[in-house]
Amino acid sequence: MYQLRGQRVEALSEEHIRRTAMSFCNFFGMKPTKGRNKRYDKSLEKLSSYGITINPVDDAEWSAALHGLISGHYDPQSATISVPEHIYLEACAGDRIALSVVLHEIGHMVLGHQPLMHFSSVPATENEDAEWQADAFAEHALKFLGYDSMQLSFEFY
Ligand SMILES: [Zn+2]
C-alpha cells in the first residue's frame, strides 16, 4: 500500500504534471540553455507580477524557527513561497538542488494544492500525494531546463 508523504489531493498523471512544468517554464522565461551561465532571478521576480510572493528568509532566522528541518514552505492562503535566503540566491544562480527546492514549492502552487479533507476507503496512490506531485513537477522542470536527472528525497513541505 502506498504511504502518503503529504496531503491527499486530486490524482494527476505524471504526463499532466510534466506538461504543466514545461508550460510554467516557458511562461516564466525559464529556457533550456546549455552552458554554465544560467540565471533565474528574472523568472523568479516575474512571479510577483502574478500575485505570487517569494519570501527569502534570513538564514539564521529560518533555522531558529520551526523550519529547522524543512527546506521550503508554500502558503496557499497568501500565495507565498518561503525559502531560506541562501536557497533563493543559489536557485537564482542555477544551483540544481536549490532550484529543486524552489520548483517543488512552485509545484504545490501551480498544481493548486489546498488543504483538503478527503475521506476515502480506497487506499491512496502516489498520484494523489501532494508531495509526490510537487517532486514530479520539480524533476520535470529541471529535466526540461537541461539538468541531469537525480532522485532526491528532502523533507520539505
Ligand atoms: Zn512539498
Side-chain angles (χ1 to χ4, degrees), residues 5 72 74 104-105 108 113 130-132 134-135 155-157:
R5 289 187 292 132
Y74 169 60
H104 174 103
E105 302 304 332
H108 281 306
H113 293 158
E131 294 311 308
W132 177 85
D135 280 348
E155 289 298 318
F156 44 59
Y157 298 91

Side-chain angles (χ1 to χ4, degrees), residues 132-146:
W132 177 85
Q133 291 184 6
D135 280 348
F137 179 91
E139 281 304 310
H140 283 293
L142 288 165
K143 202 187 279 180
F144 173 74
L145 295 172

